[in-house]
Amino acid sequence: MLLPSVPPAVIRPALPKPRPQLAATAQASPRVTGVPLNALRGAGESRFLGPGGAPRLVPLAPFNPKGKPIVFIHGILGDPADEEMLIHDAQARGMQVWAMAYDTVGKGAQANAAGFATEMRKLGDRGVRDVTVVAHSLGGMTFK
């Protein structure tokens, strides 16, 4: 069956929805109380690693002791912004959000898992309890 021809002006591709942008901070560092998600995109994540490339939990907003804690761990060759929609949803719900910055190819799984455990102990030392972890692929293995 032949379809009637439609002039090209009638067929319009759907435009992607613009991504919500968080305000960028100048020279963000791991000591900043809240890091914008954009600072963790791509190679930017490496700026937040600890000594020797150790994994770090990076707060995505100033600490809120009333917010339910949630940690996002991305998969191999990814970055924390891979979970952007979930992160924004968690923030909109008032949750205290952290993203794990880690080297997915240079460090072994055991080193990343040990680094994650160390970072979780630090949260515990701050009184953070009952943490929800959202992990994807290699992030799940690191968490396990």
Side-chain angles (χ1 to χ4, degrees):
M1 176 168 127
L2 294 174
L3 297 176
S5 63
V6 179
V10 174
I11 301 172
R12 293 187 184 102
L15 297 175
K17 291 182 181 179
R19 289 181 158 187
Q21 298 294 316
L22 298 176
T25 59
Q27 299 298 320
S29 73
R31 291 174 181 71
V32 174
T33 57
V35 174
L37 186 58
N38 290 338
L40 294 166
R41 289 191 192 281
E45 177 182 16
S46 64
R47 296 183 299 155
F48 298 92
L49 298 177
R56 279 251 168 94
L57 284 180
V58 180
L60 298 182
F63 184 68
N64 173 10
K66 294 181 181 178
K68 178 156 176 43
I70 186 168
V71 173
F72 289 88
I73 311 174
H74 63 82
I76 194 167
L77 299 177
D79 64 54
D82 291 347
E83 287 92 16
E84 181 174 22
M85 289 173 45
L86 296 172
I87 288 171
H88 287 306
D89 184 57
Q91 289 173 325
R93 293 170 186 252
M95 298 178 89
Q96 178 62 51
V97 180
W98 285 275
M100 185 167 151
Y102 72 115
D103 182 355
T104 63
V105 293
K107 294 281 181 190
Q110 287 182 337
N112 284 328
F116 175 70
T118 299
E119 290 295 295
M120 291 300 287
R121 279 189 215 92
K122 289 178 187 176
L123 286 183
D125 292 346
R126 292 180 70 179
V128 176
R129 301 284 187 265
D130 193 24
V131 178
T132 298
V133 176
V134 178
H136 174 255
S137 190
L138 179 63
M141 292 176 60
T142 299
F143 168 69
K144 186 178 176 183

